[in-house]
Amino acid sequence: MKILVTGGAGYIGSHMCAELLRTGHEVVVVDNFSNGTQGALDGVKKITGVEFPFYRADVCDSPTVEEIMEAQKVECVIHFAGLKAVGESVAKPLEYYENNLNSTMAVCRAMRNQGVSRLIFSSSAATYRSDNPMPLTESSALGATNPYGWTKIMCEQILRDFCVGEPEFSVVLLRYFNAVGAHESGLIGDCPAGIPNNLMPFISQTAHGLHKELKIFGNDYDTPDGTCIRDYIHITDLIDGHVRAIDFSAKNKGCEVFNLGTGRGFSVLEMVDAFEKTNGIKLPYSIAPRRPGDIATIYANPEKAQKMLGFTAKKSLEDMCRDTWKFQSNM
Ligand code: UFG
């Protein structure tokens, strides 16, 4: 099958392309390199040995997206492109609403006009209210604490409404928990521009000597060791969830939402400890004040994806730490 991957030069998008090409699908990538890189596309080519069409374009530009769909005759779209930094979204809300909503609507418009009816959408656990009981199920209350999360809630709503108006459509909304790790080859991975906001890239860059130390944001939370707990999911497992969502979209019309997490939470200190033990590295760190907006504990109830997609995360914490370091130490 030929699949359009928006944001295919980014962290998750590049791993998706590698897996689709490995399993014999064709991919067409659109990316404006706002976060994605040529290096990620080169990595995908190296891993798979396959050339694929790439368009450097902004997905908000609906006519261009439509031209690409018309020229390439894709059957399915995976829409990863979007702005994703929580802190930046607080400082630049208009950019986030404009970009994430317009790109999603542009993709839908182009799909409708070109008769492409299957869409997989990158959503986030950031769509859940911060006062929900854990674990989070897909019916936990929605409500974000930052503009980034609100853009995902709004895009989900747009897509639900779109499916009502276009009954031939199939949209799968995937709410990611904390994606970490890298391709087993070490050739692609999470490579954020500038100083990383997220824990794992900051840990691996610190281990590589790019930062003096990791600052752990708060050790006075109501958790066993006082540091925040998150549901870290290996990128390979996350991609497997997408592959299953693609199959699901072939058999089901309408809009369906799934959590993609492991169902198991680890604290920041447990992540540091696992990284040190797995890779035999001592990581310099200190305790810093809490980061505004963080909540103590977030983890998924993954049962719906288990039941309806046959999805189970298989990779261990050690796999996450080893593969993250393999990628970072290659750079
Ligand atoms: N942390 C540190 N030091 C750092 C970076 C992070 O202590 O330098 C801590 C954070 O305080 C938090 C944990 O590590 O407790 C995880 O932080 P991340 O920034 O890696 O991830 P978040 O859980 O804050 O956010 C991630 C994604 C969001 C997504 C959200 C969904 O970045 O896009 O998960 O739950 F919305």
Side-chain angles (χ1 to χ4, degrees):
M1 184 168 49
K2 205 176 205 182
I3 300 174
L4 179 66
V5 182
T6 77
Y11 171 42
I12 304 177
S14 60
H15 287 79
M16 187 79 241
C17 291
E19 181 59 12
L20 290 171
L21 292 169
R22 187 188 73 80
T23 50
H25 294 290
E26 290 178 82
V27 303
V28 177
V29 172
V30 195
D31 200 300
N32 65 359
F33 285 160
S34 79
N35 271 313
T37 61
Q38 182 62 48
L41 296 176
D42 294 343
V44 173
K45 280 179 205 159
K46 233 185 236 169
I47 290 166
T48 60
V50 181
E51 294 284 333
F52 51 88
F54 166 63
Y55 295 85
R56 185 165 182 174
D58 189 333
V59 191
C60 293
D61 176 1
S62 195
T64 300
V65 181
E66 202 174 325
E67 273 168 36
I68 296 168
M69 278 186 204
E70 187 169 21
Q72 294 290 343
K73 308 264 177 285
V74 300
E75 289 166 66
C76 179
V77 179
I78 313 182
H79 180 39
F80 292 108
L83 300 178
K84 61 166 189 174
V86 171
E88 185 186 58
S89 80
V90 176
K92 299 178 174 176
L94 288 185
E95 279 86 343
Y96 271 69
Y97 287 113
E98 218 164 86
N99 189 285
N100 290 358
L101 272 66
N102 283 339
S103 63
T104 301
M105 289 190 286
V107 165
C108 288
R109 201 175 301 122
M111 289 177 70
R112 184 189 57 198
N113 293 348
Q114 290 300 316
V116 181
S117 61
R118 294 162 62 189
L119 174 68
I120 313 300
F121 178 73
S122 299
S123 189
S124 168
T127 53
Y128 290 114
R129 275 174 62 128
S130 55
D131 57 357
N132 277 301
M134 293 296 143
L136 295 164
T137 71
E138 289 77 358
S139 49
S140 294
L142 297 183
T145 52
N146 54 68
Y148 163 73
W150 281 114
T151 68
K152 293 294 177 185
I153 292 174
M154 289 175 188
C155 286
E156 285 195 0
Q157 190 58 45
I158 290 167
L159 292 168
R160 267 186 222 102
D161 292 342
F162 184 65
C163 284
V164 174
E166 304 284 338
E168 285 310 300
F169 266 72
S170 173
V171 176
V172 183
L173 311 171
L174 298 176
R175 292 187 185 142
Y176 308 154
F177 284 70
N178 293 56
V180 296
H183 193 269
E184 59 182 12
S185 65
L187 290 170
I188 51 175
D190 194 3
C191 182
I195 297 171
N197 299 305
N198 296 122
L199 180 65
M200 275 307 255
F202 203 99
I203 288 180
S204 59
Q205 288 192 7
T206 304
H208 208 174
L210 298 178
H211 311 289
K212 195 169 116 280
E213 61 176 9
L214 166 73
K215 294 216 177 313
I216 294 182
F217 299 138
N219 67 348
D220 56 351
Y221 285 95
D222 184 15
T223 61
D225 66 22
T227 65
C228 291
I229 292 174
R230 295 289 180 274
D231 185 337
Y232 296 93
I233 176 168
H234 194 291
I235 185 77
T236 303
D237 285 327
L238 194 82
I239 294 305
D240 177 51
H242 289 69
V243 170
R244 290 166 188 276
I246 295 168
D247 292 343
F248 181 88
S249 74
K251 297 175 206 123
N252 299 275
K253 296 197 193 312
C255 190
E256 200 65 67
V257 60
F258 297 101
N259 283 339
L260 288 183
T262 66
R264 165 103 215 253
F266 290 102
S267 74
V268 177
L269 278 171
E270 284 175 318
M271 296 304 284
V272 169
D273 185 55
F275 189 90
E276 289 186 330
K277 287 207 175 106
T278 305
N279 299 311
I281 293 169
K282 197 92 201 104
L283 197 79
Y285 70 83
S286 66
I287 305 298
R290 289 182 175 196
R291 184 172 68 176
D294 278 345
I295 64 169
T297 302
I298 303 176
Y299 59 97
N301 177 329
E303 280 170 21
K304 185 176 175 190
Q306 263 161 24
K307 279 193 195 116
M308 292 175 69
L309 300 179
F311 168 78
T312 313
K314 295 183 184 69
K315 297 274 189 177
S316 67
L317 189 53
E318 286 67 36
D319 295 327
M320 300 182 205
C321 292
R322 188 198 53 237
D323 294 341
T324 301
W325 179 234
K326 184 172 181 185
F327 171 68
Q328 182 64 54
S329 51
N330 257 345
M331 294 194 51

